[in-house]
C-alpha cells in the first residue's frame, strides 16, 4: 500500500501557487501542469477550452468506467491581488508558523494539491468505484467555466455518483449555501458645464434614485427569512460592490454604472430584487431619462447567476464525507460554490475542503498545514473506501 507524504502536497501546492490564474488571465499553465502529472501516471484527461483558447476545464476518470464515479472538484482561478498589502510574494509559497502563504492556498489550490498528491494511491489501488478529478475555470466570477464541462459529462453519459466540492470548510460537510445574482446597472445622461446643470441629465443622480430603491428592497428582504437557523444571515442580502461615474465636479455626469449582488439562502423568495430591480429600471428610470433626451436612458443586465444549494444530511455523499473526515458537523454557509450547478445536473453533491473561508481573498492568504494534512487523510480514506478491500457504497 502506498503511504502518503504531506510534503508531496506542499510541493505540488508550491507549483500551483506559482501560476497566476487570476480570473481575467489564462489558467492553461496550471491545466497543462495537471495534465502532465496525470499523464505521468497513465491517466487520460479530457480538456475543454473556452472560445478564446485561453482557459480550460479538465476532468479525468480513474478506475472502472462501468460504475458511478465520486468526483473531486476544484476551481483553478483565483481573485486578484491588486491593491492588497501583501507581506510575502503572493505567487511564491511561503511556509511559516505552520501555515502555507500564497494566493489560492486556501481558495482553493490547497485542495487541488491534495487531490493530485494522491495520484500514486489512486492508480496503485484497485478501485471498486472510480474517482473523477474535475478542475474548472472562472468560478470566482460567477461559476461560469464549469458549465460547459458539466454539459460534456452529461452528453457523454459519464456517471457521477457523487461530487465533493473542495471549497474551504475546515473539512466539515457543507450541505447548504446561498445562491447569487449580480446585475450591472448602467445610466447614460448628457454632459455639460455644471453651471447649466438644470438643463442636463445627470447619470449619477438617476443612479442614486435606483440605489434608494435597492435600499428599500433590502429592508423588505430582511424579513424574508429561511427556517434554516445555521445561516449566519438567514435572509437575502444585497451589496453594491462597484460604482463609477462622472469626470469632474464641474461637469454634469454623462455616465454612471454600478454592480449590485443579491445572495439568498435556499427557499428564500428573492424575486423582489431579481425581478423588481430590472422592472424598476425598465419601467421607471429609463422612460424618465429617455423622455428628456433621445440618447439618455438606463439598463439593467444580469451578469452572474448561480443557484442556492441544499442537500439532505442523510444523502449518501454527505454520509461519505462525514466518514472520510471523521466529523459529523453539518453546516450552512453564506458564500456560494459550484455545488448548486452540479446538483442541478443530477449529481449528489457536498462541499468539503481544507481551510477557513475567512482567509480567502485576503492579503497574505494562507492555509493551516494541519488543514492540508486533514485533507490528505480525507482523500486517502476515500481511496481506501473505494478500493477493492475498502467496502465502498453505491
Amino acid at each position: 500500500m502506498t503511504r502518503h507524504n504531506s510534503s508531496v502536497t506542499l510541493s505540488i501546492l508550491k507549483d500551483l501557487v506559482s501560476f497566476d490564474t487570476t480570473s481575467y488571465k489564462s489558467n492553461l499553465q496550471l491545466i497543462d501542469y495537471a495534465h502532465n502529472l496525470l499523464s505521468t501516471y497513465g491517466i487520460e484527461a479530457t480538456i475543454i477550452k473556452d472560445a478564446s483558447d485561453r482557459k480550460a476545464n479538465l476532468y479525468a476518470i480513474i478506475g472502472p468506467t462501468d460504475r458511478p464515479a465520486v468526483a473531486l472538484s476544484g476551481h483553478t482561478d483565483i481573485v486578484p491581488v491588486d491593491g492588497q498589502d501583501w507581506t510575502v510574494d503572493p505567487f511564491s509559497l511561503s511556509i511559516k508558523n505552520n501555515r502555507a502563504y500564497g494566493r489560492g492556498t486556501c481558495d482553493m489550490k490547497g485542495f487541488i494539491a491534495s487531490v493530485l498528491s494522491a495520484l500514486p494511491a489512486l492508480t496503485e489501488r484497485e478501485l471498486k468505484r472510480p474517482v473523477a478529478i474535475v478542475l474548472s475555470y472562472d468560478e470566482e466570477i460567477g461559476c461560469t467555466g464549469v458549465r460547459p464541462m458539466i454539459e460534456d459529462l452529461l452528453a457523454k453519459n459519464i456517471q457521477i455518483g457523487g461530487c465533493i466540492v473542495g471549497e474551504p470548510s475546515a473539512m466539515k460537510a457543507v450541505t447548504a449555501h446561498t445562491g447569487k445574482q449580480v446585475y450591472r446597472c448602467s445610466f447614460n445622461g448628457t454632459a455639460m458645464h455644471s453651471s447649466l446643470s438644470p438643463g442636463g441629465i445627470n447619470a449619477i443622480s438617476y443612479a442614486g434614485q435606483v440605489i434608494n430603491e435597492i435600499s428599500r428592497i433590502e429592508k423588505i428582504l430582511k424579513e424574508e427569512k429561511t427556517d434554516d437557523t445555521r445561516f449566519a444571515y438567514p435572509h437575502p442580502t444585497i451589496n453594491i460592490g462597484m460604482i463609477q461615474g462622472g469626470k469632474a465636479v464641474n461637469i454634469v455626469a454623462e455616465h454612471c454604472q454600478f454592480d449590485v449582488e443579491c445572495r439568498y439562502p435556499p427557499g428564500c423568495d428573492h424575486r423582489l430584487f431579481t425581478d423588481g430591480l430590472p422592472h424598476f429600471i425598465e419601467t421607471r428610470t429609463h422612460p424618465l431619462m429617455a423622455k428628456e433626451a433621445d440618447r439618455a436612458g438606463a439598463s439593467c443586465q444580469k451578469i452572474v447567476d448561480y443557484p442556492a444549494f441544499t442537500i439532505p444530511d442523510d444523502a449518501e455523499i454527505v454520509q461519505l464525507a462525514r466518514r472520510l473526515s471523521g466529523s459529523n458537523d453539518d453546516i450552512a454557509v453564506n458564500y456560494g460554490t459550484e455545488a448548486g450547478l452540479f446538483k442541478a445536473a443530477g449529481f449528489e453533491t457536498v462541499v468539503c475542503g481544507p481551510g477557513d473561508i475567512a482567509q480567502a481573498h485576503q492579503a497574505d492568504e494562507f492555509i493551516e498545514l494541519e488543514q492540508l494534512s486533514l485533507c490528505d487523510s480525507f482523500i486517502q480514506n476515500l481511496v481506501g473506501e473505494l478500493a477493492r478491500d475498502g467496502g465502498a457504497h453505491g
Side-chain angles (χ1 to χ4, degrees):
M1 174 180 173
T2 300
R3 289 191 176 274
H4 187 265
N5 184 347
S6 292
S7 65
V8 177
T9 299
L10 282 176
S11 177
I12 293 174
L13 181 57
K14 179 180 179 181
D15 292 336
L16 297 181
V17 167
S18 72
F19 303 124
D20 181 358
T21 54
T22 306
S23 297
Y24 62 81
K25 298 181 179 181
S26 173
N27 74 332
L28 293 185
Q29 277 188 303
L30 189 153
I31 291 296
D32 288 343
Y33 173 89
H35 189 198
N36 290 335
L37 197 55
L38 290 163
S39 298
T40 300
Y41 292 94
I43 302 167
E44 294 185 3
T46 298
I47 293 177
I48 304 169
K49 289 188 175 182
D50 74 345
S52 71
D53 283 336
R54 295 181 63 250
K55 299 182 180 183
N57 296 309
L58 176 151
Y59 68 83
I61 312 296
I62 305 168
T65 58
D66 60 343
R67 302 289 303 279
V70 175
L72 301 173
S73 175
H75 66 78
T76 61
D77 60 317
I78 55 175
V79 296
V81 299
D82 307 336
Q84 294 186 335
D85 187 17
W86 284 72
T87 63
V88 296
D89 182 347
F91 301 110
S92 179
L93 192 70
S94 301
I95 309 294
K96 57 182 179 179
N97 300 324
N98 294 314
R99 296 171 175 176
Y101 289 83
R103 175 56 90 217
T105 50
C106 177
D107 186 16
M108 56 183 296
K109 292 179 178 180
F111 176 77
I112 296 173
S114 194
V115 170
L116 293 178
S117 73
L119 290 178
L122 284 166
T123 52
E124 291 178 15
R125 302 288 297 272
E126 187 174 353
L127 303 181
K128 294 174 67 176
R129 283 181 61 183
V131 168
I133 295 176
V134 178
L135 305 180
S136 62
Y137 65 89
D138 283 0
E139 187 272 349
E140 295 289 4
I141 57 175
C143 300
T144 58
V146 75
R147 297 170 196 261
M149 179 160 53
I150 291 174
E151 291 173 1
D152 195 73
L153 291 168
L154 294 173
K156 293 178 179 176
N157 293 317
I158 294 174
Q159 299 181 70
I160 303 294
C163 180
I164 299 171
V165 177
E167 291 278 5
S169 69
M171 298 309 302
K172 298 176 181 179
V174 172
T175 57
H177 70 58
T178 56
K180 183 168 83 166
Q181 290 192 357
V182 178
Y183 288 92
R184 177 160 293 160
C185 303
S186 302
F187 307 84
N188 295 314
T190 54
M192 61 179 56
H193 195 281
S194 61
S195 64
L196 304 173
S197 60
I201 303 172
N202 192 311
I204 293 177
S205 295
Y206 277 99
Q209 294 175 22
V210 174
I211 290 172
N212 284 336
E213 173 65 10
I214 291 172
S215 296
R216 185 188 73 84
I217 292 172
E218 183 178 22
K219 291 177 182 177
I220 296 173
L221 288 181
K222 285 183 179 179
E223 302 305 315
E224 181 61 41
K225 295 181 180 179
T226 176
D227 293 332
D228 191 338
T229 58
R230 297 174 301 165
F231 281 97
Y233 299 98
H235 54 77
T237 61
I238 295 176
N239 181 58
I240 300 172
M242 295 178 61
I243 188 167
Q244 55 188 5
K247 293 184 176 180
V249 71
N250 61 351
I251 303 175
V252 173
E254 184 176 9
H255 301 294
C256 186
Q257 177 178 288
F258 65 81
D259 292 352
V260 56
E261 71 165 25
C262 177
R263 295 178 184 264
Y264 55 94
C268 282
D269 189 349
H270 56 289
R271 290 175 296 177
L272 183 63
F273 174 83
T274 55
D275 295 345
L277 176 62
H279 181 76
F280 182 87
I281 291 176
E282 291 165 9
T283 63
R284 297 276 296 277
T285 311
H286 176 74
L288 284 173
M289 297 182 75
K291 184 178 179 180
E292 294 189 50
D294 290 342
R295 66 179 183 274
S299 63
C300 184
Q301 176 190 6
K302 185 192 296 182
I303 58 175
V304 172
D305 184 5
Y306 61 75
F309 163 72
T310 184
I311 189 169
D313 62 5
D314 61 352
E316 181 186 343
I317 192 66
V318 176
Q319 295 303 312
L320 174 63
R322 287 176 172 174
R323 288 197 304 275
L324 300 179
S325 66
S327 170
N328 287 323
D329 286 351
D330 177 21
I331 61 177
V333 295
N334 281 82
Y335 62 80
T337 76
E338 296 167 331
L341 296 172
F342 283 113
K343 184 169 182 264
F347 307 153
E348 266 199 352
T349 304
V350 68
V351 177
C352 188
D356 185 341
I357 193 64
Q359 307 307 329
H361 300 191
Q362 305 294 316
D364 289 351
E365 178 181 347
F366 68 85
I367 189 168
E368 301 279 355
L369 298 186
E370 181 184 13
Q371 284 289 305
L372 288 177
S373 295
L374 289 173
C375 189
D376 288 342
S377 297
F378 179 94
I379 296 171
Q380 291 300 311
N381 291 340
L382 174 64
V383 174
E385 180 142 344
L386 300 186
R388 184 171 298 280
D389 58 351
H393 293 258

